Amino acid sequence: MAADRPTGKTLAGEAYERIRGAIQDGRLRPGDRMRFSDLQALCTMSVTPVREALARLTAEGFTVLDDHRGFSVAPLSLSELRDITANRKLCEGEALRLSIERGDGQWEARLVAAHHLLARVPQGRDDMPSVIRDDWDERHAAFHRALISACGSPILLDTCLRLFGHAGRYRRVSVSLSGRRRDADAEHRQLMDLALARDGAGAVAALHAHYQGTADALEAFFDGRNA
Amino acid sequence: MAADRPTGKTLAGEAYERIRGAIQDGRLRPGDRMRFSDLQALCTMSVTPVREALARLTAEGFTVLDDHRGFSVAPLSLSELRDITANRKLCEGEALRLSIERGDGQWEARLVAAHHLLARVPQGRDDMPSVIRDDWDERHAAFHRALISACGSPILLDTCLRLFGHAGRYRRVSVSLSGRRRDADAEHRQLMDLALARDGAGAVAALHAHYQGTADALEAFFDGRNA
DNA sequence: GTGTCAATGATTTTCGAAAATCCGTGCCAT
DNA sequence: ATGGCACGGATTTTCGAAAATCATTGACAC
Protein backbone atom coordinates (compact mmCIF):
# COMPACT_ATOMS: atom_id res chain seq x y z
CA MET A 1 0.00 0.00 0.00
CA ALA A 2 2.63 2.48 1.07
CA ALA A 3 5.54 2.45 -1.34
CA ASP A 4 8.90 1.57 0.11
CA ARG A 5 9.94 5.20 -0.02
CA PRO A 6 7.10 7.65 -0.53
CA THR A 7 9.38 10.16 -2.20
CA GLY A 8 9.17 13.70 -0.95
CA LYS A 9 8.96 12.42 2.60
CA THR A 10 11.79 11.96 5.00
CA LEU A 11 12.72 8.92 7.05
CA ALA A 12 12.66 10.93 10.24
CA GLY A 13 9.06 11.82 9.54
CA GLU A 14 8.15 8.19 9.20
CA ALA A 15 9.95 7.39 12.44
CA TYR A 16 7.98 10.16 14.12
CA GLU A 17 4.65 8.77 13.01
CA ARG A 18 5.58 5.22 13.81
CA ILE A 19 6.82 5.92 17.33
CA ARG A 20 3.95 8.27 18.07
CA GLY A 21 1.57 5.59 16.91
CA ALA A 22 3.23 3.04 19.16
CA ILE A 23 2.87 5.39 22.11
CA GLN A 24 -0.72 6.31 21.44
CA ASP A 25 -1.98 2.79 20.97
CA GLY A 26 -0.16 1.50 24.01
CA ARG A 27 2.53 -0.63 22.42
CA LEU A 28 4.93 1.61 24.27
CA ARG A 29 3.60 2.15 27.76
CA PRO A 30 3.93 5.23 29.95
CA GLY A 31 7.21 5.29 31.80
CA ASP A 32 8.83 2.74 29.52
CA ARG A 33 12.42 3.44 28.73
CA MET A 34 13.08 3.56 24.99
CA ARG A 35 16.35 2.01 23.92
CA PHE A 36 17.64 3.00 20.55
CA SER A 37 18.30 -0.60 19.65
CA ASP A 38 14.61 -1.44 20.06
CA LEU A 39 13.49 1.66 18.21
CA GLN A 40 15.82 0.94 15.33
CA ALA A 41 14.31 -2.51 15.08
CA LEU A 42 10.81 -1.03 15.11
CA CYS A 43 11.55 1.59 12.46
CA THR A 44 14.08 -0.33 10.36
CA MET A 45 16.52 2.54 10.08
CA SER A 46 19.63 3.97 11.65
CA VAL A 47 19.86 5.99 14.84
CA THR A 48 19.92 9.50 13.35
CA PRO A 49 16.34 9.79 12.10
CA VAL A 50 15.04 8.04 15.21
CA ARG A 51 16.78 10.61 17.32
CA GLU A 52 15.24 13.44 15.35
CA ALA A 53 11.79 11.92 15.80
CA LEU A 54 12.32 11.65 19.54
CA ALA A 55 13.41 15.27 19.69
CA ARG A 56 10.13 16.34 18.12
CA LEU A 57 8.09 14.06 20.35
CA THR A 58 9.85 15.46 23.38
CA ALA A 59 9.09 19.02 22.33
CA GLU A 60 5.44 18.01 22.13
CA GLY A 61 5.47 16.30 25.50
CA PHE A 62 4.92 12.72 24.43
CA THR A 63 8.36 11.66 25.58
CA VAL A 64 10.80 12.97 28.14
CA LEU A 65 14.57 13.24 27.91
CA ASP A 66 16.98 12.70 30.77
CA ASP A 67 20.31 14.03 29.62
CA HIS A 68 22.70 11.22 28.83
CA ARG A 69 20.13 8.73 30.09
CA GLY A 70 18.03 8.58 26.99
CA PHE A 71 14.36 8.97 26.25
CA SER A 72 11.33 7.43 27.88
CA VAL A 73 7.60 7.57 27.33
CA ALA A 74 6.05 10.41 29.30
CA PRO A 75 4.35 9.03 32.40
CA LEU A 76 0.64 9.34 33.10
CA SER A 77 -0.70 10.90 36.26
CA LEU A 78 -3.98 12.03 37.72
CA SER A 79 -2.73 15.57 38.07
CA GLU A 80 -1.81 15.71 34.40
CA LEU A 81 -5.18 14.27 33.45
CA ARG A 82 -6.88 17.04 35.40
CA ASP A 83 -4.57 19.60 33.84
CA ILE A 84 -5.28 18.36 30.34
CA THR A 85 -9.00 18.43 31.00
CA ALA A 86 -8.91 21.98 32.28
CA ASN A 87 -6.91 23.13 29.28
CA ARG A 88 -9.18 21.32 26.86
CA LYS A 89 -12.17 23.05 28.37
CA LEU A 90 -10.47 26.40 27.97
CA CYS A 91 -8.99 25.99 24.50
CA GLU A 92 -11.41 23.70 22.73
CA GLY A 93 -14.28 25.54 24.31
CA GLU A 94 -13.08 28.82 22.88
CA ALA A 95 -12.31 27.20 19.54
CA LEU A 96 -15.80 25.76 19.39
CA ARG A 97 -17.34 29.10 20.25
CA LEU A 98 -15.36 30.75 17.47
CA SER A 99 -16.23 28.03 15.01
CA ILE A 100 -19.93 28.45 15.69
CA GLU A 101 -19.52 32.18 15.30
CA ARG A 102 -17.51 32.04 12.10
CA GLY A 103 -18.31 28.72 10.48
CA ASP A 104 -19.94 28.69 7.06
CA GLY A 105 -21.84 26.10 5.12
CA GLN A 106 -18.68 24.20 4.27
CA TRP A 107 -17.98 23.82 7.98
CA GLU A 108 -21.48 22.53 8.63
CA ALA A 109 -21.05 20.02 5.84
CA ARG A 110 -17.73 18.80 7.22
CA LEU A 111 -19.29 18.44 10.65
CA VAL A 112 -22.28 16.47 9.45
CA ALA A 113 -20.07 14.23 7.35
CA ALA A 114 -17.68 13.53 10.21
CA HIS A 115 -20.52 12.70 12.55
CA HIS A 116 -22.10 10.41 10.03
CA LEU A 117 -18.91 8.43 9.73
CA LEU A 118 -18.47 8.29 13.48
CA ALA A 119 -22.02 7.12 14.13
CA ARG A 120 -21.68 4.27 11.65
CA VAL A 121 -18.93 2.57 13.68
CA PRO A 122 -19.99 0.59 16.70
CA GLN A 123 -19.03 2.02 20.07
CA GLY A 124 -15.56 1.07 21.30
CA ARG A 125 -15.49 -2.05 23.43
CA ASP A 126 -12.78 -4.29 24.71
CA ASP A 127 -13.89 -7.29 22.71
CA MET A 128 -13.86 -5.59 19.33
CA PRO A 129 -11.04 -6.20 16.88
CA SER A 130 -8.36 -3.57 17.25
CA VAL A 131 -8.66 -2.72 13.58
CA ILE A 132 -12.22 -1.48 14.06
CA ARG A 133 -11.33 0.23 17.31
CA ASP A 134 -8.54 2.10 15.59
CA ASP A 135 -11.04 3.12 12.98
CA TRP A 136 -13.33 4.49 15.66
CA ASP A 137 -10.46 6.41 17.24
CA GLU A 138 -9.62 7.99 13.95
CA ARG A 139 -13.19 9.00 13.22
CA HIS A 140 -13.65 10.23 16.75
CA ALA A 141 -10.65 12.50 16.35
CA ALA A 142 -11.91 13.66 12.97
CA PHE A 143 -15.26 14.61 14.48
CA HIS A 144 -13.74 16.70 17.23
CA ARG A 145 -11.39 18.26 14.72
CA ALA A 146 -14.32 19.15 12.49
CA LEU A 147 -16.12 20.77 15.42
CA ILE A 148 -13.38 23.35 15.89
CA SER A 149 -12.05 23.51 12.35
CA ALA A 150 -13.67 26.86 11.58
CA CYS A 151 -12.23 28.74 14.54
CA GLY A 152 -9.94 30.69 12.25
CA SER A 153 -6.91 30.45 14.54
CA PRO A 154 -4.19 28.06 13.42
CA ILE A 155 -2.41 28.40 16.73
CA LEU A 156 -5.47 27.59 18.76
CA LEU A 157 -6.25 24.70 16.47
CA ASP A 158 -2.76 23.36 16.94
CA THR A 159 -3.02 23.63 20.71
CA CYS A 160 -6.32 21.78 20.67
CA LEU A 161 -5.01 18.97 18.51
CA ARG A 162 -2.03 18.54 20.75
CA LEU A 163 -4.25 18.36 23.81
CA PHE A 164 -6.53 15.90 22.09
CA GLY A 165 -3.58 13.67 21.36
CA HIS A 166 -2.45 13.71 24.95
CA ALA A 167 -5.94 12.99 26.20
CA GLY A 168 -6.02 10.05 23.82
CA ARG A 169 -3.28 8.35 25.80
CA TYR A 170 -5.46 8.37 28.89
CA ARG A 171 -8.54 7.36 26.95
CA ARG A 172 -6.74 4.37 25.57
CA VAL A 173 -5.60 3.14 28.95
CA SER A 174 -9.17 2.80 30.11
CA VAL A 175 -10.55 1.35 26.92
CA SER A 176 -10.67 -2.07 28.52
CA LEU A 177 -13.14 -0.60 30.99
CA SER A 178 -16.14 -0.97 28.73
CA GLY A 179 -19.65 0.29 29.26
CA ARG A 180 -18.55 3.41 31.03
CA ARG A 181 -18.77 5.59 27.95
CA ARG A 182 -22.26 4.38 27.12
CA ASP A 183 -23.55 7.84 26.24
CA ALA A 184 -20.70 9.10 24.12
CA ASP A 185 -22.78 8.68 20.97
CA ALA A 186 -25.60 10.73 22.39
CA GLU A 187 -23.20 13.42 23.54
CA HIS A 188 -21.62 13.66 20.13
CA ARG A 189 -24.99 14.02 18.46
CA GLN A 190 -25.98 16.68 20.97
CA LEU A 191 -22.76 18.57 20.28
CA MET A 192 -23.41 18.54 16.57
CA ASP A 193 -27.01 19.63 16.96
CA LEU A 194 -26.10 22.54 19.22
CA ALA A 195 -23.33 23.61 16.87
CA LEU A 196 -25.59 23.51 13.83
CA ALA A 197 -28.22 25.46 15.77
CA ARG A 198 -25.51 28.10 16.39
CA ASP A 199 -26.05 27.83 20.12
CA GLY A 200 -22.55 28.81 21.20
CA ALA A 201 -23.10 28.88 24.94
CA GLY A 202 -25.00 25.62 24.93
CA ALA A 203 -22.44 23.86 22.78
CA VAL A 204 -19.54 24.99 24.94
CA ALA A 205 -21.39 23.83 28.05
CA ALA A 206 -22.03 20.47 26.43
CA LEU A 207 -18.37 20.19 25.43
CA HIS A 208 -17.28 20.93 28.98
CA ALA A 209 -19.64 18.30 30.30
CA HIS A 210 -18.40 15.84 27.69
CA TYR A 211 -14.78 16.29 28.71
CA GLN A 212 -15.49 16.38 32.42
CA GLY A 213 -17.49 13.20 32.06
CA THR A 214 -14.69 11.32 30.35
CA ALA A 215 -12.20 12.70 32.85
CA ASP A 216 -14.34 11.59 35.79
CA ALA A 217 -14.70 8.13 34.33
CA LEU A 218 -10.96 7.88 33.83
CA GLU A 219 -10.27 9.17 37.31
CA ALA A 220 -12.56 6.57 38.81
CA PHE A 221 -10.77 3.94 36.79
CA PHE A 222 -7.39 5.10 38.03
CA ASP A 223 -8.56 5.23 41.63
CA GLY A 224 -9.88 1.73 41.41
CA ARG A 225 -6.61 0.60 39.96
CA ASN A 226 -4.44 2.12 42.67
CA ALA A 227 -6.65 0.74 45.45
CA MET B 1 31.89 32.11 32.46
CA ALA B 2 30.32 29.03 30.94
CA ALA B 3 32.68 26.09 31.19
CA ASP B 4 33.68 24.49 27.93
CA ARG B 5 31.42 21.54 28.62
CA PRO B 6 28.91 22.09 31.41
CA THR B 7 28.76 18.41 32.20
CA GLY B 8 25.30 16.91 32.55
CA LYS B 9 24.17 18.92 29.58
CA THR B 10 24.09 17.81 26.00
CA LEU B 11 25.53 19.49 22.95
CA ALA B 12 22.17 19.41 21.22
CA GLY B 13 20.73 21.40 24.08
CA GLU B 14 23.36 24.06 23.67
CA ALA B 15 22.73 24.19 19.94
CA TYR B 16 19.02 24.63 20.67
CA GLU B 17 19.61 27.58 22.95
CA ARG B 18 22.14 29.16 20.65
CA ILE B 19 20.02 28.96 17.52
CA ARG B 20 16.89 30.02 19.34
CA GLY B 21 18.79 32.98 20.69
CA ALA B 22 19.99 33.91 17.23
CA ILE B 23 16.42 33.78 15.96
CA GLN B 24 14.93 35.75 18.80
CA ASP B 25 17.44 38.55 18.72
CA GLY B 26 17.28 38.89 14.97
CA ARG B 27 20.68 37.57 13.96
CA LEU B 28 18.72 35.07 11.92
CA ARG B 29 15.90 36.90 10.23
CA PRO B 30 12.42 35.59 9.37
CA GLY B 31 12.41 33.68 6.12
CA ASP B 32 16.16 33.17 6.11
CA ARG B 33 17.27 29.81 4.92
CA MET B 34 19.51 28.04 7.40
CA ARG B 35 22.39 26.13 5.86
CA PHE B 36 23.96 23.49 8.00
CA SER B 37 27.41 24.75 7.15
CA ASP B 38 26.60 28.15 8.67
CA LEU B 39 24.93 26.63 11.70
CA GLN B 40 27.88 24.35 12.33
CA ALA B 41 30.14 27.38 12.26
CA LEU B 42 27.87 29.20 14.69
CA CYS B 43 27.63 26.31 17.12
CA THR B 44 31.09 24.79 16.67
CA MET B 45 29.89 21.25 16.43
CA SER B 46 28.92 18.57 13.96
CA VAL B 47 25.68 18.25 12.06
CA THR B 48 23.90 15.74 14.27
CA PRO B 49 23.21 17.88 17.36
CA VAL B 50 22.34 20.84 15.16
CA ARG B 51 19.77 18.75 13.41
CA GLU B 52 18.23 17.67 16.70
CA ALA B 53 18.00 21.29 17.81
CA LEU B 54 16.25 22.24 14.58
CA ALA B 55 13.79 19.40 15.03
CA ARG B 56 12.81 20.78 18.42
CA LEU B 57 12.59 24.33 17.14
CA THR B 58 10.39 23.16 14.29
CA ALA B 59 8.04 21.37 16.68
CA GLU B 60 7.74 24.66 18.58
CA GLY B 61 7.11 26.67 15.44
CA PHE B 62 10.25 28.79 15.39
CA THR B 63 11.51 27.17 12.24
CA VAL B 64 9.87 25.40 9.33
CA LEU B 65 11.05 22.33 7.47
CA ASP B 66 10.65 21.76 3.77
CA ASP B 67 11.36 18.11 3.15
CA HIS B 68 14.71 17.65 1.50
CA ARG B 69 15.06 21.41 1.18
CA GLY B 70 16.23 22.09 4.68
CA PHE B 71 15.14 24.39 7.46
CA SER B 72 14.37 28.08 7.44
CA VAL B 73 13.35 30.64 10.02
CA ALA B 74 9.57 30.82 10.35
CA PRO B 75 8.27 33.90 8.54
CA LEU B 76 6.41 36.72 10.24
CA SER B 77 3.00 37.88 9.16
CA LEU B 78 0.26 40.18 10.33
CA SER B 79 -2.23 37.35 10.49
CA GLU B 80 0.07 35.36 12.75
CA LEU B 81 0.61 38.41 14.94
CA ARG B 82 -3.13 38.77 15.36
CA ASP B 83 -3.44 35.07 16.04
CA ILE B 84 -0.72 35.16 18.67
CA THR B 85 -2.34 38.14 20.33
CA ALA B 86 -5.73 36.48 20.49
CA ASN B 87 -4.24 33.33 21.96
CA ARG B 88 -2.21 35.27 24.49
CA LYS B 89 -5.33 37.04 25.66
CA LEU B 90 -7.09 33.73 26.08
CA CYS B 91 -4.32 31.70 27.68
CA GLU B 92 -2.33 34.24 29.66
CA GLY B 93 -5.56 35.88 30.73
CA GLU B 94 -6.82 32.65 32.20
CA ALA B 95 -3.42 31.90 33.71
CA LEU B 96 -3.36 35.31 35.36
CA ARG B 97 -6.86 34.84 36.71
CA LEU B 98 -5.88 31.49 38.19
CA SER B 99 -2.68 32.89 39.64
CA ILE B 100 -4.57 35.67 41.40
CA GLU B 101 -7.03 33.11 42.70
CA ARG B 102 -4.45 30.63 43.87
CA GLY B 103 -1.25 32.58 44.45
CA ASP B 104 0.20 32.68 47.93
CA GLY B 105 2.70 34.95 49.64
CA GLN B 106 5.60 33.37 47.82
CA TRP B 107 3.98 34.26 44.53
CA GLU B 108 3.47 37.86 45.62
CA ALA B 109 7.11 38.03 46.64
CA ARG B 110 8.29 36.68 43.29
CA LEU B 111 6.10 39.19 41.50
CA VAL B 112 7.33 42.17 43.47
CA ALA B 113 10.93 41.10 43.04
CA ALA B 114 10.56 40.63 39.29
CA HIS B 115 8.93 44.01 38.89
CA HIS B 116 11.63 45.67 40.93
CA LEU B 117 14.32 44.29 38.66
CA LEU B 118 12.38 45.27 35.56
CA ALA B 119 11.76 48.82 36.72
CA ARG B 120 15.45 49.38 37.45
CA VAL B 121 16.43 48.92 33.81
CA PRO B 122 15.84 51.87 31.47
CA GLN B 123 13.14 51.40 28.86
CA GLY B 124 14.26 49.75 25.64
CA ARG B 125 15.40 52.20 22.97
CA ASP B 126 17.20 51.85 19.73
CA ASP B 127 20.30 53.71 20.88
CA MET B 128 20.92 51.59 23.93
CA PRO B 129 23.67 49.00 23.95
CA SER B 130 22.35 45.63 23.02
CA VAL B 131 23.71 44.14 26.23
CA ILE B 132 21.38 46.28 28.31
CA ARG B 133 18.52 45.71 25.93
CA ASP B 134 18.99 41.97 26.24
CA ASP B 135 18.93 42.42 29.97
CA TRP B 136 15.62 44.26 29.73
CA ASP B 137 14.17 41.54 27.53
CA GLU B 138 15.14 38.90 30.02
CA ARG B 139 13.67 40.79 32.97
CA HIS B 140 10.56 41.61 30.99
CA ALA B 141 10.05 37.92 30.30
CA ALA B 142 10.71 37.10 33.95
CA PHE B 143 8.06 39.59 35.06
CA HIS B 144 5.38 38.17 32.81
CA ARG B 145 6.39 34.68 33.85
CA ALA B 146 6.07 35.65 37.49
CA LEU B 147 2.59 37.04 36.88
CA ILE B 148 1.24 33.67 35.81
CA SER B 149 3.58 31.40 37.74
CA ALA B 150 0.97 30.48 40.36
CA CYS B 151 -1.70 29.32 37.93
CA GLY B 152 -1.12 25.71 38.97
CA SER B 153 -1.31 24.35 35.44
CA PRO B 154 2.00 23.25 33.93
CA ILE B 155 0.41 22.81 30.53
CA LEU B 156 -1.13 26.27 30.50
CA LEU B 157 2.13 27.75 31.70
CA ASP B 158 3.98 26.02 28.91
CA THR B 159 1.53 27.30 26.33
CA CYS B 160 1.91 30.83 27.64
CA LEU B 161 5.68 30.74 27.60
CA ARG B 162 5.69 29.47 24.05
CA LEU B 163 3.34 32.24 22.96
CA PHE B 164 5.46 34.80 24.77
CA GLY B 165 8.51 33.60 22.92
CA HIS B 166 6.78 33.92 19.57
CA ALA B 167 5.50 37.37 20.39
CA GLY B 168 9.05 38.31 21.27
CA ARG B 169 10.08 37.87 17.66
CA TYR B 170 7.59 40.50 16.60
CA ARG B 171 8.48 42.76 19.50
CA ARG B 172 12.09 42.65 18.52
CA VAL B 173 11.47 43.60 14.92
CA SER B 174 9.90 46.87 15.97
CA VAL B 175 12.37 47.71 18.69
CA SER B 176 13.99 50.26 16.42
CA LEU B 177 10.69 52.10 16.47
CA SER B 178 11.30 53.82 19.77
CA GLY B 179 8.91 55.93 21.80
CA ARG B 180 5.92 53.88 20.85
CA ARG B 181 5.96 51.80 23.99
CA ARG B 182 6.23 54.85 26.23
CA ASP B 183 3.76 53.55 28.79
CA ALA B 184 4.95 49.98 29.15
CA ASP B 185 6.41 50.77 32.55
CA ALA B 186 3.15 52.20 33.80
CA GLU B 187 1.22 49.24 32.45
CA HIS B 188 3.51 46.78 34.17
CA ARG B 189 3.13 48.57 37.46
CA GLN B 190 -0.63 48.62 37.05
CA LEU B 191 -0.64 44.90 36.32
CA MET B 192 1.32 44.19 39.47
CA ASP B 193 -0.88 46.41 41.60
CA LEU B 194 -4.08 44.83 40.34
CA ALA B 195 -2.66 41.36 40.86
CA LEU B 196 -1.55 42.11 44.42
CA ALA B 197 -4.97 43.63 45.11
CA ARG B 198 -6.46 40.30 43.96
CA ASP B 199 -8.56 42.08 41.38
CA GLY B 200 -8.85 39.25 38.90
CA ALA B 201 -11.22 40.84 36.43
CA GLY B 202 -9.35 44.14 36.45
CA ALA B 203 -5.97 42.49 36.02
CA VAL B 204 -7.16 40.37 33.10
CA ALA B 205 -8.65 43.45 31.46
CA ALA B 206 -5.38 45.31 31.93
CA LEU B 207 -3.46 42.39 30.48
CA HIS B 208 -5.70 42.28 27.44
CA ALA B 209 -5.22 46.01 26.94
CA HIS B 210 -1.47 45.60 27.37
CA TYR B 211 -1.26 42.96 24.68
CA GLN B 212 -3.69 44.64 22.34
CA GLY B 213 -1.71 47.86 22.70
CA THR B 214 1.59 46.25 21.76
CA ALA B 215 -0.10 44.41 18.92
CA ASP B 216 -1.63 47.62 17.57
CA ALA B 217 1.71 49.38 17.73
CA LEU B 218 3.37 46.53 15.88
CA GLU B 219 0.62 46.41 13.30
CA ALA B 220 0.97 50.13 12.63
CA PHE B 221 4.70 49.61 12.28
CA PHE B 222 4.21 46.81 9.79
CA ASP B 223 1.66 48.80 7.80
CA GLY B 224 4.00 51.73 7.58
CA ARG B 225 6.73 49.44 6.42
CA ASN B 226 4.74 47.85 3.64
CA ALA B 227 3.50 51.23 2.38
C1' DG C 1 12.09 31.13 -29.91
C1' DT C 2 10.29 27.80 -26.68
C1' DG C 3 9.94 23.80 -24.10
C1' DT C 4 11.91 19.38 -22.50
C1' DC C 5 15.45 16.67 -20.65
C1' DA C 6 19.85 15.21 -18.91
C1' DA C 7 24.14 16.32 -16.49
C1' DT C 8 26.21 19.03 -12.75
C1' DG C 9 26.77 21.15 -8.29
C1' DA C 10 25.26 22.25 -3.83
C1' DT C 11 22.82 20.69 0.14
C1' DT C 12 20.28 17.81 2.90
C1' DT C 13 19.68 13.35 4.89
C1' DT C 14 21.31 9.02 6.51
C1' DC C 15 24.63 5.63 7.92
C1' DG C 16 27.99 3.03 10.83
C1' DA C 17 31.50 3.51 13.99
C1' DA C 18 34.07 6.17 17.59
C1' DA C 19 33.87 8.93 21.83
C1' DA C 20 31.59 10.21 25.99
C1' DT C 21 28.64 9.29 29.73
C1' DC C 22 26.17 6.81 33.20
C1' DC C 23 24.80 2.83 36.19
C1' DG C 24 25.87 -1.16 38.75
C1' DT C 25 29.26 -4.21 40.90
C1' DG C 26 32.90 -5.43 43.76
C1' DC C 27 36.85 -4.16 46.47
C1' DC C 28 39.11 -1.67 50.05
C1' DA C 29 39.66 1.35 54.02
C1' DT C 30 37.63 3.02 58.19
C1' DA D 1 29.12 -3.15 58.94
C1' DT D 2 29.41 0.98 56.22
C1' DG D 3 30.91 4.43 53.10
C1' DG D 4 33.79 5.67 49.33
C1' DC D 5 36.06 4.60 44.91
C1' DA D 6 37.62 2.63 40.85
C1' DC D 7 36.47 -0.61 37.07
C1' DG D 8 33.43 -2.89 33.40
C1' DG D 9 29.43 -3.10 30.63
C1' DA D 10 25.68 -1.05 28.45
C1' DT D 11 23.79 2.97 26.28
C1' DT D 12 23.60 7.42 24.70
C1' DT D 13 25.68 11.03 22.09
C1' DT D 14 28.59 12.76 18.55
C1' DC D 15 31.42 12.61 14.55
C1' DG D 16 32.86 12.47 9.59
C1' DA D 17 31.87 10.54 5.36
C1' DA D 18 28.67 8.24 2.02
C1' DA D 19 24.11 8.21 -0.20
C1' DA D 20 20.07 10.58 -1.66
C1' DT D 21 17.66 14.52 -3.15
C1' DC D 22 16.75 18.94 -5.17
C1' DA D 23 17.75 23.24 -7.93
C1' DT D 24 20.32 25.03 -11.93
C1' DT D 25 22.47 25.16 -16.11
C1' DG D 26 23.08 24.11 -20.76
C1' DA D 27 22.17 21.56 -24.86
C1' DC D 28 19.02 19.80 -28.08
C1' DA D 29 14.74 18.98 -30.59
C1' DC D 30 10.51 20.98 -32.29
Side-chain angles (χ1 to χ4, degrees), chain A residues 73-166:
Chain A
V73 182
L76 265 45
S77 70
L78 253 70
S79 62
E80 199 202 34
L81 171 61
R82 296 196 189 100
D83 198 4
I84 290 174
T85 304
N87 277 273
R88 290 181 82 189
K89 284 184 183 175
L90 176 68
C91 294
E92 296 193 41
E94 175 70 1
L96 177 58
R97 194 185 67 74
L98 289 172
S99 270
I100 290 174
E101 188 179 305
R102 301 174 177 173
D104 58 0
Q106 294 291 327
W107 168 65
E108 295 179 359
R110 285 199 303 273
L111 183 54
V112 173
H115 181 268
H116 180 78
L117 288 175
L118 176 61
R120 284 182 65 85
V121 179
Q123 178 63 243
R125 288 186 190 160
D126 53 353
D127 58 347
M128 73 174 23
S130 65
V131 177
I132 295 183
R133 201 184 53 186
D134 287 347
D135 206 32
W136 186 82
D137 273 356
E138 196 175 327
R139 297 184 180 193
H140 183 219
F143 174 72
H144 277 277
R145 197 161 49 232
L147 264 179
I148 60 176
S149 63
C151 71
S153 166
I155 293 175
L156 185 59
L157 200 60
D158 184 70
T159 304
C160 290
L161 294 182
R162 185 174 323 200
L163 288 170
F164 190 90
H166 277 262

Side-chain angles (χ1 to χ4, degrees), chain A residues 88 92-93 96 144 147 191 202-212:
Chain A
R88 290 181 82 189
E92 296 193 41
L96 177 58
H144 277 277
L147 264 179
L191 274 171
V204 170
L207 193 72
H208 283 205
H210 183 53
Y211 289 156
Q212 192 60 53

Side-chain angles (χ1 to χ4, degrees), chain A:
Chain A
M1 204 169 279
D4 285 25
R5 287 173 197 170
T7 181
K9 213 176 175 187
T10 185
L11 267 186
E14 189 176 325
Y16 171 84
E17 292 180 9
R18 218 177 263 232
I19 297 174
R20 175 168 169 162
I23 290 176
Q24 285 199 329
D25 72 9
R27 262 161 36 236
L28 290 171
R29 284 180 304 181
D32 276 359
R33 179 131 176 248
M34 310 168 84
R35 288 178 196 72
F36 277 94
S37 46
D38 301 339
L39 262 40
Q40 286 181 58
L42 171 64
C43 299
T44 327
M45 62 186 68
S46 182
V47 59
T48 313
V50 171
R51 190 165 182 75
E52 179 172 336
L54 288 176
R56 285 194 217 172
L57 288 166
T58 297
E60 292 177 1
F62 287 102
T63 56
V64 293
L65 165 62
D66 296 340
D67 285 311
H68 292 283
R69 289 193 54 185
F71 297 84
S72 56
V73 182
L76 265 45
S77 70
L78 253 70
S79 62
E80 199 202 34
L81 171 61
R82 296 196 189 100
D83 198 4
I84 290 174
T85 304
N87 277 273
R88 290 181 82 189
K89 284 184 183 175
L90 176 68
C91 294
E92 296 193 41
E94 175 70 1
L96 177 58
R97 194 185 67 74
L98 289 172
S99 270
I100 290 174
E101 188 179 305
R102 301 174 177 173
D104 58 0
Q106 294 291 327
W107 168 65
E108 295 179 359
R110 285 199 303 273
L111 183 54
V112 173
H115 181 268
H116 180 78
L117 288 175
L118 176 61
R120 284 182 65 85
V121 179
Q123 178 63 243
R125 288 186 190 160
D126 53 353
D127 58 347
M128 73 174 23
S130 65
V131 177
I132 295 183
R133 201 184 53 186
D134 287 347
D135 206 32
W136 186 82
D137 273 356
E138 196 175 327
R139 297 184 180 193
H140 183 219
F143 174 72
H144 277 277
R145 197 161 49 232
L147 264 179
I148 60 176
S149 63
C151 71
S153 166
I155 293 175
L156 185 59
L157 200 60
D158 184 70
T159 304
C160 290
L161 294 182
R162 185 174 323 200
L163 288 170
F164 190 90
H166 277 262
R169 297 182 61 213
Y170 288 88
R171 203 182 309 123
R172 180 56 69 112
V173 167
S174 77
V175 81
S176 58
L177 180 72
S178 65
R180 197 67 192 80
R181 299 294 311 124
R182 74 273 169 226
D183 42 352
D185 282 342
E187 289 180 20
H188 289 144
R189 167 163 284 284
Q190 185 192 21
L191 274 171
M192 178 183 68
D193 290 339
L194 287 168
L196 293 177
R198 305 285 171 169
D199 180 0
V204 170
L207 193 72
H208 283 205
H210 183 53
Y211 289 156
Q212 192 60 53
T214 67
D216 286 345
L218 288 175
E219 197 153 334
F221 174 72
F222 273 104
D223 280 345
R225 202 180 211 196
N226 288 350

Side-chain angles (χ1 to χ4, degrees), chain B residues 11-125:
Chain B
L11 267 186
E14 190 176 324
Y16 171 83
E17 291 180 10
R18 219 177 261 232
I19 298 174
R20 175 168 169 163
I23 290 175
Q24 285 198 329
D25 72 9
R27 267 170 21 243
L28 289 170
R29 285 181 302 181
D32 276 359
R33 179 131 176 249
M34 309 167 84
R35 288 179 197 70
F36 277 93
S37 46
D38 301 338
L39 262 40
Q40 286 182 59
L42 171 64
C43 298
T44 326
M45 62 185 69
S46 183
V47 58
T48 313
V50 171
R51 191 168 182 79
E52 179 172 338
L54 287 177
R56 285 195 219 172
L57 288 167
T58 298
E60 292 178 0
F62 288 103
T63 56
V64 293
L65 165 61
D66 297 338
D67 284 310
H68 292 283
R69 291 192 52 184
F71 296 83
S72 56
V73 182
L76 265 45
S77 70
L78 252 72
S79 62
E80 199 203 33
L81 172 60
R82 296 197 188 99
D83 198 4
I84 289 173
T85 304
N87 278 272
R88 289 182 83 188
K89 284 183 183 176
L90 176 67
C91 294
E92 296 193 41
E94 175 70 1
L96 177 57
R97 194 185 67 75
L98 288 172
S99 270
I100 289 174
E101 188 179 305
R102 300 173 177 173
D104 58 1
Q106 293 291 327
W107 168 65
E108 295 179 359
R110 286 199 303 272
L111 183 55
V112 172
H115 181 268
H116 180 77
L117 288 174
L118 176 61
R120 284 182 64 85
V121 178
Q123 178 63 243
R125 289 188 189 156

Side-chain angles (χ1 to χ4, degrees), chain B residues 123-186:
Chain B
Q123 178 63 243
R125 289 188 189 156
D126 54 351
D127 58 348
M128 73 172 22
S130 67
V131 178
I132 294 183
R133 200 183 54 185
D134 287 347
D135 206 33
W136 186 81
D137 271 356
E138 195 175 328
R139 295 183 182 195
H140 183 220
F143 174 72
H144 277 277
R145 197 161 49 231
L147 264 179
I148 61 176
S149 63
C151 71
S153 167
I155 292 174
L156 185 58
L157 199 61
D158 186 68
T159 304
C160 291
L161 294 182
R162 186 174 323 202
L163 288 170
F164 189 90
H166 277 265
R169 297 182 62 213
Y170 288 88
R171 204 182 309 124
R172 180 56 70 111
V173 166
S174 78
V175 81
S176 58
L177 178 72
S178 65
R180 197 67 192 81
R181 299 296 310 124
R182 75 275 169 221
D183 44 353
D185 282 342

